[in-house]
Amino acid sequence: MGLGIETRQQIARRAALEIGKGMIVNLGIGIPTLVADYIPNDHGVMLHTENGILGMGGSPEKGKEDGNLSNAGGYPVTLISGASYFDSATAFGIIRRGLLDITVLGALEVSEKGDIANWIVPGKRVPGMGGAIDLAQKSKKVIVLMNHTDKEGNPKIVKQCKLPLTVQKGANMIITEKAVIDVKDEKLVLREVMHPYTIEDVEKSTGAPLEILDQIETFQ
């Protein structure tokens, strides 16, 4: 089952709290694109896209979309003061030099070691891996936003990924509709639960062991 818009916004709002002032950040397609709407304007954050923007803003007001201005997923965006345009070669040069402070991306599976599988399901047609491999390997911090389980209720956070990997040991944090989980020393550490879920709910729907901190906060 897919997530409702309010739940998706809750995940994006929590992810935005990880973004500090002056950071350079890449937002993947799906839930990550919503994060732009929750970054304070006075933070001076420069959002980067693979299609060649540094300084992307949030979503435009309805009716004020610019057909020539979109993110890497093709959705309309705005610009902040000081934004710049460039070609994809330059965009990937920024990624590969390790200049991104944070990458926020979606995933199909994440393992307890932080392995990420997010670019293909065998037997299904996909447009390509895009910038996922470069982003997951080169960013200083990688945050994964996704459903806690798949459509059949199976865990997407697992001991070992079954799908083809995008990167090994790439994830630093996982945020779902149920929890905020850190990946530390190849272990999953439960940091927060998302309202209205409990620690027990998270444990039951996670396919790998969780280290539980003494104090777990609830994110509303």
Side-chain angles (χ1 to χ4, degrees):
M1 177 180 289
L3 300 176
I5 184 60
E6 290 185 1
T7 302
R8 292 160 59 89
Q9 289 172 339
Q10 181 189 36
I11 294 172
R13 186 161 47 88
R14 176 60 187 81
L17 297 179
E18 298 298 315
I19 299 174
K21 293 184 177 181
M23 284 187 171
I24 301 175
V25 180
N26 183 283
L27 304 177
I29 61 174
I31 300 174
T33 60
L34 300 176
V35 175
D37 295 331
Y38 297 98
I39 300 172
N41 293 331
D42 62 355
H43 271 28
V45 173
M46 299 296 281
L47 295 179
H48 165 279
T49 69
E50 300 100 296
N51 58 323
I53 301 173
L54 186 63
M56 181 183 74
S59 303
E61 295 180 19
K62 191 172 183 179
K64 294 187 177 181
E65 299 89 348
D66 182 341
N68 295 313
L69 186 59
S70 69
N71 59 23
Y75 293 97
V77 295
T78 58
L79 299 177
I80 66 171
S81 178
S84 58
Y85 301 104
F86 34 80
D87 59 20
S88 288
T90 302
F92 275 86
I94 291 171
I95 297 169
R96 291 168 182 167
R97 285 196 63 189
L99 298 178
L100 296 182
D101 294 294
I102 292 179
T103 282
V104 185
L105 45 75
L108 301 169
E109 289 180 327
V110 181
S111 80
E112 63 181 354
K113 295 181 180 180
D115 301 333
I116 300 171
N118 82 337
W119 77 277
I120 190 171
V121 176
K124 292 189 177 182
R125 295 183 64 184
V126 294
M129 65 186 68
I133 290 176
D134 294 278
L135 288 164
Q137 286 183 341
K138 297 297 185 179
S139 299
K140 295 170 186 173
K141 181 175 183 178
V142 177
I143 302 173
V144 176
L145 309 186
M146 65 178 188
N147 299 51
H148 208 95
T149 59
D150 63 20
K151 294 179 181 179
E152 286 74 41
N154 300 309
K156 293 177 65 173
I157 302 172
V158 295
K159 286 189 66 65
Q160 185 173 346
C161 295
K162 295 180 181 179
L163 296 172
L165 294 184
T166 304
V167 64
Q168 292 181 317
K169 302 178 183 179
N172 302 109
M173 175 181 283
I174 308 164
I175 303 177
T176 74
E177 79 280 12
K178 295 184 179 182
V180 179
I181 298 171
D182 288 326
V183 184
K184 291 185 177 180
D185 301 322
E186 301 185 11
K187 295 179 182 178
L188 300 174
V189 181
L190 181 61
R191 179 167 161 183
E192 299 170 22
V193 295
M194 304 286 270
H195 178 78
Y197 295 98
T198 65
I199 295 174
E200 290 72 24
D201 293 330
V202 176
E203 289 183 304
K204 288 178 181 177
S205 54
T206 304
L210 286 171
E211 182 178 316
I212 311 296
L213 298 179
D214 292 335
Q215 292 188 346
I216 301 293
E217 296 184 0
T218 298
F219 183 76
Q220 299 289 330

